[in-house]
Amino acid sequence: QVQLVESGGGLVQAGGSLKLSCVASGGISNLNVMGWYRQAPGSQREMVARSFSSGTTQYADFVKGRFTISRDNAKNAVYLQMNSLKPEDTGVYYCGGTYFPVSSGMAYWGKGTLVTVSS
């Protein structure tokens, strides 16, 4: 059974840091794309950062310079280091992955981890 399991969410004050982790299991490995998406209350899910097997990374404009995505292919894991957090970063953060081009959307999703940033 394919699983993406996130961890590392929690409550943090504005200006603080958190590191999210996601591990893929169940027979999947070397995903072409692994990334982080988030969904704030009342909003649609949006891309935060993605990491491609080529080594390329993409970031949403609202996190550039504050968040860093990294991968450990040996562990089938992807991480998101979040610094200088703002209250508007609050939301459920989901890990996604796919073997296919990102234009096809993520094939696998985790259940999400809640990040709450207090002002």
Side-chain angles (χ1 to χ4, degrees):
Q1 182 180 358
V2 172
Q3 280 190 315
L4 296 180
V5 180
E6 305 97 335
S7 61
L11 174 63
V12 64
Q13 288 189 331
S17 298
L18 282 175
K19 185 174 183 178
L20 306 183
S21 300
C22 171
V23 179
S25 62
I28 59 173
S29 63
N30 299 318
L31 292 164
N32 176 40
V33 188
M34 293 188 77
W36 292 94
Y37 291 68
R38 74 184 187 190
Q39 187 167 17
S43 299
Q44 291 188 332
R45 190 176 300 187
E46 58 186 355
M47 191 275 290
V48 175
R50 292 188 291 224
S51 175
F52 295 81
S53 57
S54 63
T56 300
T57 56
Q58 287 181 339
Y59 294 93
D61 287 343
F62 52 77
V63 302
K64 284 182 180 177
R66 300 190 297 126
F67 292 9
T68 302
I69 189 170
S70 59
R71 285 178 71 162
D72 185 336
N73 290 324
K75 297 181 178 179
N76 289 326
V78 65
Y79 309 97
L80 186 68
Q81 177 66 47
M82 305 186 294
N83 298 329
S84 301
L85 282 161
K86 304 175 182 180
E88 51 264 44
D89 293 320
T90 294
V92 179
Y93 283 68
Y94 297 91
C95 174
T98 185
Y99 289 110
F100 304 108
V102 70
S103 57
S104 300
M106 293 298 187
Y108 308 106
W109 290 101
K111 293 183 179 180
T113 185
L114 178 63
V115 172
T116 303
V117 184
S118 64
S119 57

